[in-house]
């Protein structure tokens, strides 16, 4: 792995760690509770980011431009029925590990075709693995911030205070 890819992956791991700190000790009843005017919940964020890790890892490793299962499924922003905090966290950690393994085997400059987007039929964009990693970092950091606000609104827990 190149030093650049390692640096991006290190930043992504830190953003993931902050999200996991934010969701630590969240009761199963809280994981689907809305605490702001946003429809987002901690469970929805965990589910969405898990799906994001899986989708982008598939795109990185498949390299055929096929649309991964669930890529356009908008229910990914909600926790599945009956989801538990532990189950959502475990699924996220497993998806993150698979991404890390795929990145370790990838060339950051390798261009991969993206799936055709419904709003751009017939257009296939290509991104280098580096851009996919940066996209995952951006998504994770953004949603970790959302999760922090949701958590603090739920029970006053502060990710910053719990970082250690």
């Amino acid at each position: 792995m190149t030093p650049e890819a390692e640096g991006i992956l290190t930043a992504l791991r830190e953003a993931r760690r902050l999200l996991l700190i934010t969701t630590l000790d969240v009761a199963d009843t809280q994981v689907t509770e809305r605490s702001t005017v946003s429809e987002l919940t901690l469970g929805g964020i965990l589910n969405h980011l898990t799906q994001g890790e899986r989708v982008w890892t598939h795109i990185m490793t498949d390299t055929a431009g096929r649309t991964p299962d669930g890529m356009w499924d908008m229910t990914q922003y909600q926790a599945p029925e009956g989801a538990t905090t532990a189950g959502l966290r475990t699924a996220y950690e497993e998806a993150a590990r698979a991404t890390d393994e795929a990145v370790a085997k990838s060339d950051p400059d390798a261009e991969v075709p993206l799936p055709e987007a419904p709003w751009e039929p017939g257009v296939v964009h290509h991104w280098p693995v580096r851009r996919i990693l940066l996209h995952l970092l951006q998504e994770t950091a953004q949603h970790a911030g959302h999760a922090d606000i949701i958590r603090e609104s739920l029970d006053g827990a502060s990710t910053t205070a719990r970082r250690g």
Side-chain angles (χ1 to χ4, degrees):
M1 185 178 324
T2 67
E4 176 193 32
E6 183 63 41
I8 296 169
L9 195 54
T10 297
L12 176 57
R13 287 176 180 142
E14 176 63 12
R16 290 173 182 150
R17 187 176 83 82
L18 291 175
L19 176 68
L20 290 170
I21 289 170
T22 301
T23 60
L24 189 64
D25 301 323
V26 170
D28 292 341
T29 55
Q30 289 178 306
V31 80
T32 56
E33 188 178 330
R34 285 178 56 195
S35 65
T36 69
V37 296
S38 171
E39 299 236 354
L40 286 174
T41 65
L42 294 174
I45 290 170
L46 281 166
N47 192 50
H48 167 61
L49 290 175
T50 299
Q51 180 68 5
E53 294 267 358
R54 290 175 180 154
V55 160
W56 288 105
T57 298
H58 174 89
I59 291 168
M60 255 191 298
T61 58
D62 178 60
T63 70
R66 289 184 283 255
T67 303
D69 289 340
M71 183 169 184
W72 309 117
D73 181 3
M74 296 309 288
T75 64
Q76 67 181 280
Y77 292 93
Q78 302 163 4
E81 187 72 32
T84 65
T85 303
L88 290 165
R89 286 170 50 92
T90 297
Y92 181 61
E93 289 172 307
E94 288 170 359
R97 229 178 344 271
T99 299
D100 290 359
E101 290 168 10
V103 169
K105 299 174 188 171
S106 297
D107 172 2
D109 294 320
E111 296 265 338
V112 296
L114 304 185
E116 184 179 304
W119 54 87
E120 283 187 300
V123 177
V124 176
H125 296 281
H126 290 76
W127 279 7
V129 168
R130 170 187 305 100
R131 184 164 176 194
I132 291 171
L133 270 178
L134 289 169
H135 177 74
L136 280 170
L137 172 58
Q138 174 190 11
E139 276 284 301
T140 305
Q142 177 182 2
H143 289 306
H146 293 147
D148 194 30
I149 291 168
I150 292 168
R151 177 67 191 266
E152 196 164 346
S153 297
L154 281 172
D155 63 10
S158 166
T159 302
T160 302
R162 298 176 81 185
R163 273 180 94 159

